[in-house]
Amino acid sequence: MFDTPMLPNGAHYFNGTKETMESAIGTKAASSFSKAIGLTRDAEQFTVVILTYNRDDSLVTILKLLNNCPYLNKVIIVWNNPDRKPEDAWPTLHVPIEFIFPEKNSLLNRFIPYDEIETEAIVSLDDDQNFSHSELVFAFRVWREHRDRLVGFPERYTHMQYGKGKYGLSAVCEYSLILTGFAFMHKEFLYEFTYNQHPSILEHIEKNRNCEDIAMNFLVAHLSRKPPVRMIKKTSSENPQGKQTSGLSGNSTHYSVRSDCVQLFSEIYGYNPLLQSQHQAVPTRGGCMSGL
């Protein structure tokens, strides 16, 4: 992946996607910026990959959020419940929605390089995420300048303490990994994860049903030798209804289990490749992106 330069992708350009965001301030410069994705590459789009399991209402909500989002190529829903087929009625979007039906329920299904993914840029989303179009497009713009990193939110902090891995919330304005519930990444990393990640790591994820995001961060940091990029959310909350966390992170042993993952993965790699960063991508309000 890093021996040759990454070239613009040859994905079919979905013409139904709106390739512009109206300027928040109406200036000629901002309007020109909003009509083109910019930088030195050809225009490109991104693919949304959603891993879902028995959260139909949340999935409907996130699909509605994605409707008419600029630069979106398609939405791929990884239906992680082999015992139940999805309903027929789903929101209609301006881009195709394609369902993937894995043979078994596995967190590893999130990172398979499906043939249906035609773009280099992928954003991995949990089925309960909340975001605005502006935030999604801003993250895409940031990723295009950091194509060999993970870009997203929220961030977490890991380090080695007395020879043991520690995982938790950032308390010192530093972070070393990005959770993959909202994370842009290059499709090449899906190939690397699925076919070149250490088998013991994949087995551990399958057995414990946890830490697939930590494993992806380890892989990307090992290959790029760079930290991820944290994006600051400004226009939407991560939990707009104020609901209590009901997933794995709400478990009392969550942080200790994930600390064990950091320790195990470090032993398998022979070192901890995660690098600390204080860098934050913060959108300017109104200057170049509407809604920020």
Side-chain angles (χ1 to χ4, degrees):
M1 175 177 179
F2 298 98
D3 293 332
T4 57
M6 296 179 190
L7 300 177
N9 70 81
H12 170 68
Y13 216 72
F14 191 76
N15 293 324
T17 291
K18 181 182 178 185
E19 300 299 349
T20 180
M21 298 189 76
E22 296 299 328
S23 168
I25 57 177
T27 66
K28 184 176 181 180
S31 178
S32 298
F33 180 85
S34 70
K35 290 180 180 179
I37 196 66
L39 301 179
T40 57
R41 290 175 174 269
D42 293 339
E44 63 180 317
Q45 298 176 331
F46 61 86
T47 301
V48 167
V49 178
I50 305 172
L51 183 73
T52 186
Y53 183 88
N54 287 353
R55 283 181 171 176
D56 292 19
D57 291 342
S58 296
L59 183 57
V60 168
T61 298
I62 199 172
L63 289 175
K64 289 180 178 179
L65 287 174
L66 289 169
N67 192 34
N68 291 322
C69 182
Y71 310 110
L72 179 59
N73 183 267
K74 71 171 63 170
V75 177
I76 292 178
I77 299 173
V78 182
W79 190 262
N80 222 20
N81 185 354
D83 299 323
R84 182 173 72 90
K85 293 297 182 181
E87 302 291 338
D88 293 331
W90 296 98
T92 300
L93 304 189
H94 65 297
V95 297
I97 300 175
E98 298 189 21
F99 280 83
I100 303 291
F101 300 103
E103 294 182 357
K104 65 177 181 178
N105 177 8
S106 171
L107 293 176
L108 300 178
N109 293 332
R110 179 193 295 273
F111 297 136
I112 293 176
Y114 299 107
D115 291 338
E116 289 80 359
I117 300 173
E118 300 179 277
T119 60
E120 289 183 19
I122 300 157
V123 57
S124 170
L125 294 179
D126 281 346
D127 55 9
D128 59 351
Q129 276 293 337
N130 181 51
F131 53 85
S132 67
H133 287 180
S134 296
E135 288 169 335
L136 198 57
V137 172
F138 176 70
F140 180 42
R141 290 183 183 275
V142 173
W143 175 84
R144 294 186 81 237
E145 297 186 49
H146 304 281
R147 302 174 79 90
D148 56 350
R149 308 194 201 189
L150 297 179
V151 175
F153 67 86
E155 81 290 350
R156 291 294 183 265
Y157 181 74
T158 65
H159 66 286
M160 302 299 289
Q161 185 178 60
Y162 306 117
K164 295 198 174 180
K166 294 293 182 181
Y167 168 94
L169 298 174
S170 176
V172 290
C173 299
E174 289 188 343
Y175 63 94
S176 56
L177 64 82
I178 295 294
L179 302 187
T180 53
F182 186 112
F184 271 91
M185 65 190 72
H186 197 284
K187 184 179 180 180
E188 177 66 20
F189 289 128
L190 303 188
Y191 286 100
E192 296 290 345
F193 187 93
T194 300
Y195 300 112
N196 293 326
Q197 182 68 277
H198 198 286
S200 295
I201 291 179
L202 301 181
E203 291 172 7
H204 182 82
I205 294 169
E206 286 281 61
K207 179 180 178 180
N208 295 276
R209 301 192 57 77
N210 205 329
C211 299
E212 82 286 357
D213 49 356
I214 297 177
M216 176 58 82
N217 276 267
F218 262 67
L219 177 72
V220 174
H222 173 69
L223 292 175
S224 69
R225 299 309 301 134
K226 297 176 183 178
V229 179
R230 175 195 181 194
M231 190 200 85
I232 301 299
K233 286 171 63 69
K234 279 195 171 184
T235 63
S236 63
S237 65
E238 293 179 24
N239 190 5
Q241 288 80 31
K243 296 178 180 178
Q244 294 295 319
T245 302
S246 58
L248 290 173
S249 60
N251 191 306
S252 60
T253 62
H254 176 70
Y255 289 101
S256 63
V257 168
R258 289 170 72 80
S259 290
D260 290 342
C261 287
V262 173
Q263 174 67 22
L264 174 64
F265 297 170
S266 298
E267 292 174 357
I268 293 174
Y269 271 78
Y271 77 118
N272 184 345
L274 300 179
L275 299 173
Q276 309 296 342
S277 177
Q278 298 179 357
H279 176 74
Q280 299 179 129
V282 183
T284 57
R285 186 174 296 277
C288 294
M289 295 290 294
S290 64
L292 294 175

